[in-house]
């Protein structure tokens, strides 16, 4: 298997056999290590499959490798078991946030509607001892809205001497890490500075929600359930600007596949439960998504916003035109034969390499590119919909696409909760707090320390 993040012609993991790459690894049980039989020992024995995607020399240092290896079921169950045993003053409040691209996987896998899947998943997590289960869609709202504003600003400021375009999305951690660690300038200045949904969700939970619940951020153990392994690396870079400073927004990332294996091996009695909200609302809110076929749809939302804001053009349905392949598509806004906006979606590293090559040559025709490391988008993340031999389960993925498409779309601008949070949490839409909480800066390339194999 070729390592997608590696820039050399051959992967740095080329000496591994396919059997080694797809071998499963036991997740040890913290209770058994202490010579005891813990309540969750069967669940903690869940096996997960490995991908070498993040283990190449260009992306992961030895220290990061150690930290990522600690983000697994063992870490999760350790907190659950400590909450059962230790003094209540030492208990952690467990909060789990679900990525919207993970829910269709559970629905397809267990033959449920997406609503029933979310209720079963929420009930399962709470039966283990999780206190709150959130949906990260609200965090994606913030990320998309800030990206929209940034694109309009860049478009108006763009000139030949100091090019502000194209703007490249920054929501995919695999792509961002590749851009930072390998590509550097001239690519990183084009990355959108809006934080990813995972990063923003970390701030919402560890800052806004913590203050609302009168909790110190370090009293909350925040877990993200995501469709890909790259999110584990992203969690290492999340520092939340709270009163205590330096608190990590996400303590642990578990893939959808890891959670599904826990559910399949569990004999814990499960009572279905509704998802929680950050606002303490009792009523269950309807699940919703953004306008993307397999992702959060940054292209569609930013395209519509830019067309209206820059050219006073109302765009209904966004029409995509496949170019090189189905994972490289173009969208244009034209008027009187003139192209006003030219956007593209580039999924998978083969398409990303073509984008980078054109950008470096100065022959880049696009104003904006939605970049995702996974071919097919986030639904096709390697942390879900995989067969026993580590390949994509195409039949399951097809079901997931249909389920995801049926979830109602809501524009980020239409969320009253988001507008309230801008005022209550961030002191307005253009305050210094917005810049601190919702935006980031990017580091240049530099060879990290010795790499190591990662075992989740």
């Amino acid at each position: 298997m070729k390592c997608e993040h590696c820039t050399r012609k051959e992967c740095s993991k080329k000496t591994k056999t396919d059997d080694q790459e797809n071998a499963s690894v036991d997740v040890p049980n913290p209770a058994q290590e202490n010579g005891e039989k813990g309540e969750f020992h069967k669940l903690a024995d869940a096996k997960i499959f490995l991908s070498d995607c993040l283990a190449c020399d260009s992306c992961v240092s030895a220290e990061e490798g150690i930290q990522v290896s600690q983000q697994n079921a063992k870490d999760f169950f350790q907190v659950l078991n400590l909450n059962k045993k230790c003094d209540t003053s030492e208990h952690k409040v467990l909060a789990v946030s679900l990525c919207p691209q993970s829910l269709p996987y559970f629905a397809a896998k267990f033959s449920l509607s997406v609503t029933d899947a979310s209720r079963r998943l929420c009930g399962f997590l709470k039966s283990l001892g999780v206190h709150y289960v959130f949906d990260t869609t609200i965090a994606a709202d913030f990320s998309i809205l800030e990206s929209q504003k940034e694109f309009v600003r860049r478009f108006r400021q763009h000139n030949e001497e100091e090019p502000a375009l194209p703007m490249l999305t920054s929501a995919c951690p695999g792509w961002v890490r590749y851009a930072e660690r390998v590509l550097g300038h001239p690519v990183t200045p084009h990355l959108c500075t809006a934080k990813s949904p995972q990063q923003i969700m970390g701030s919402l939970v560890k800052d806004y929600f913590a203050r609302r619940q009168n909790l110190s951020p370090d009293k909350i153990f925040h877990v993200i359930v995501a469709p890909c392994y790259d999110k584990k690396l992203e969690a290492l870079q999340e520092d939340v600007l709270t009163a205590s400073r330096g608190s990590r927004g996400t303590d642990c990332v578990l893939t959808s596949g890891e959670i599904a294996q826990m559910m399949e091996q569990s004999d814990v009695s499960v009572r279905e439960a509704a998802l929680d909200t950050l606002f303490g609302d009792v009523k269950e809110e309807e699940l919703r998504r953004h306008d993307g076929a397999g992702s959060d749809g940054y292209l569609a939302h930013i395209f519509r916003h830019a067309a209206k804001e820059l050219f006073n053009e109302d765009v209904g349905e966004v029409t995509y035109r496949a170019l090189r392949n189905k994972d490289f598509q173009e969208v244009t806004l034209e008027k009187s034969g003139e192209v006003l906006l030219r956007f593209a979606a580039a999924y998978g590293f083969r398409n990303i390499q073509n984008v980078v090559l054109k950008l470096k040559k100065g022959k880049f025709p696009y104003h904006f590119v939605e970049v995702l490391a996974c071919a097919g988008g986030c639904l096709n993340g390697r942390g879900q919909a995989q067969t026993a031999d580590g390949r994509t389960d195409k039949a399951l993925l097809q079901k997931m696409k249909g389920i995801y498409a049926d979830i109602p779309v809501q524009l980020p601008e239409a969320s009253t909760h988001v507008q309230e949070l801008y005022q209550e949490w961030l002191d307005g839409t253009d305050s210094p707090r917005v810049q601190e909480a919702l935006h980031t800066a990017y580091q240049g390339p530099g060879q990290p320390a010795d790499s190591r194999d990662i075992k989740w």
Side-chain angles (χ1 to χ4, degrees), residues 30-69:
Q32 288 176 333
E33 287 180 356
N34 296 328
E36 305 172 8
K37 279 196 173 182
E39 183 177 349
F40 309 113
H41 69 281
K42 291 181 181 178
L43 299 179
D45 285 335
K47 292 183 178 181
I48 57 176
F49 287 90
L50 308 185
S51 165
D52 280 330
C53 185
L54 299 178
C56 74
D57 295 336
S58 297
C59 290
V60 182
S61 68
E63 182 182 359
E64 288 171 330
I66 293 169
Q67 290 177 309
V68 170
S69 70

Side-chain angles (χ1 to χ4, degrees), residues 272-283:
E272 292 187 351
L275 290 169
D276 299 294
T277 75
L278 296 163
F279 314 95
D281 296 349
V282 177
K283 67 182 182 69

Side-chain angles (χ1 to χ4, degrees), residues 247-264:
S247 174
R248 184 172 291 166
T250 300
D251 298 289
C252 179
V253 174
L254 297 175
T255 65
S256 317
E258 289 175 272
I259 296 292
Q261 288 176 335
M262 293 180 200
M263 295 176 75
E264 289 175 324

Side-chain angles (χ1 to χ4, degrees), residues 367-398:
H367 298 109
F368 171 93
V369 185
E370 179 181 83
V371 185
L372 295 175
C374 291
C378 299
L379 281 180
N380 194 32
R382 292 187 179 182
Q384 61 185 23
Q386 300 286 294
T387 60
D389 61 356
R391 301 178 187 277
T392 299
D393 187 330
K394 293 182 179 180
L396 188 63
L397 182 61
Q398 200 59 37

